[in-house]
Amino acid sequence: MTPRSNRTMTRLITRLAQVSAQSALLAAAALLPQAVSANTGVALQHFSANSGNLPSAQRGARNFMAYCSGCHSLKYLRYERMGEDLNIPPDVLKKNLMFTSDKLGDQIKIAMPAASGDWFGRVPPDLSLETRARGADWVYTYLQSFYLDDSRPMGVNNTVLAGASMPHVLWELQGWQKKAEHAAEGEHGGGHHEGSGFEQVSKGSLTPAEYQAFVGDLVNFLDYASEPGKQARISTGLKVMLYLFVLLGLTYLLKKEFWRDIH
Ligand code: HEC
């Protein structure tokens, strides 16, 4: 080959590599469309739930019991199991997390059945399988998307679940926000945090970043509740892989030993 055709070849190969890398990226992007709420079409914030983050799941459990268990049950989960999985000793569990029952073997039910049966026609759903049904992104975004809306009976609405009848139970932590005016969108002026579509009306006791972390803990806990055996499944899987790997090494050595005199 002449140096010239050589260069052409190199260029061709480089181009081919670029094209295939681009199409691989495009294919990957097509597989990962931006998640939107099925109910309202609002873009969801991404959150990779990690129930293996024990401190986070523990905080989530505590906060769920304090802020949510008044209305929402986790009927497929028992206190005892939760305590074992999340490493919460029974006495701490009984003292700090069990408001609805004093039996460790009980399922997690709602605190006040009479008071919480009906919120403007809606019964608060059981949340055992919530992150599996809606996805972690949905729950994560939902808990950050309550906003003031005079047209609603309680003055609150949610961009992810339009007409939600759940009150904004975390308002003391997040503060109040309203929908950003269309004209103001894209500007980064006073209190409007980028891309959220909301304007802060009053401050809560947590900063926006702290509130986000608080919601993340809740979602990690709900992710745990939706599949309590997940971490055990993952660690068993790893052990099995390790075992097979060691076995592979031994089998290879054995093969070498058998064939040593034949070659
Ligand atoms: C005062 C009662 C009450 C409290 C406390 C409460 N919720 Fe709710 N929640 C509701 C009601 C009622 C609905 C149903 C809303 C609807 O469908 O309009 C709901 C709906 C939800 C949904 C959406 C369910 C779905 O898939 O449609 C999630 C997620 C949720 N709540 C999470 C929480 C979490 C997390 C907490 C604690 C921080 C909490 N809720 C505290 C009453 C409550």
Side-chain angles (χ1 to χ4, degrees), residues 146-158:
F146 288 95
Y147 67 95
L148 292 169
D149 179 357
D150 290 338
S151 70
R152 299 288 307 151
M154 280 185 293
V156 192
N157 208 336
N158 192 296

Side-chain angles (χ1 to χ4, degrees), residues 63-64 66-72 116 118-120 122-127 130 133-134 138-139 142-143 146 152 161-167 169-170 214 218 222:
N63 296 334
F64 182 90
Y67 291 97
C68 321
S69 71
C71 293
H72 294 285
S116 50
D118 191 338
W119 283 85
F120 299 95
R122 302 269 171 75
V123 177
D126 181 85
L127 295 182
E130 181 68 9
R134 294 279 202 183
W138 191 93
V139 181
Y142 172 73
L143 292 172
F146 288 95
R152 299 288 307 151
L161 186 67
S165 48
M166 172 170 146
V169 296
L170 301 174
F214 182 96
L218 275 173
L222 286 174

Side-chain angles (χ1 to χ4, degrees), residues 25-143:
L25 274 178
L26 278 177
L31 287 173
L32 291 169
Q34 159 123 59
V36 295
S37 157
N39 179 286
T40 59
V42 163
L44 299 178
Q45 294 186 55
H46 179 63
F47 182 72
S48 0
N50 176 12
S51 58
N53 181 346
L54 210 57
S56 169
Q58 286 169 340
R59 287 192 298 269
R62 182 193 62 203
N63 296 334
F64 182 90
M65 295 308 159
Y67 291 97
C68 321
S69 71
C71 293
H72 294 285
S73 56
L74 294 172
K75 65 179 174 193
Y76 298 125
L77 189 61
R78 292 173 194 277
Y79 291 104
E80 205 166 21
R81 168 88 207 242
M82 179 180 85
E84 279 165 17
D85 289 340
L86 298 185
N87 226 347
I88 307 172
D91 49 324
V92 178
L93 199 64
K94 276 199 165 182
K95 212 167 116 219
N96 299 319
L97 295 176
M98 294 176 57
F99 307 125
T100 59
S101 156
D102 52 6
K103 286 193 230 82
L104 284 168
D106 267 357
Q107 294 141 305
I108 301 173
K109 301 213 187 86
I110 50 177
M112 299 164 291
S116 50
D118 191 338
W119 283 85
F120 299 95
R122 302 269 171 75
V123 177
D126 181 85
L127 295 182
S128 306
L129 300 174
E130 181 68 9
T131 55
R132 280 211 258 170
R134 294 279 202 183
D137 290 0
W138 191 93
V139 181
Y140 183 68
T141 313
Y142 172 73
L143 292 172

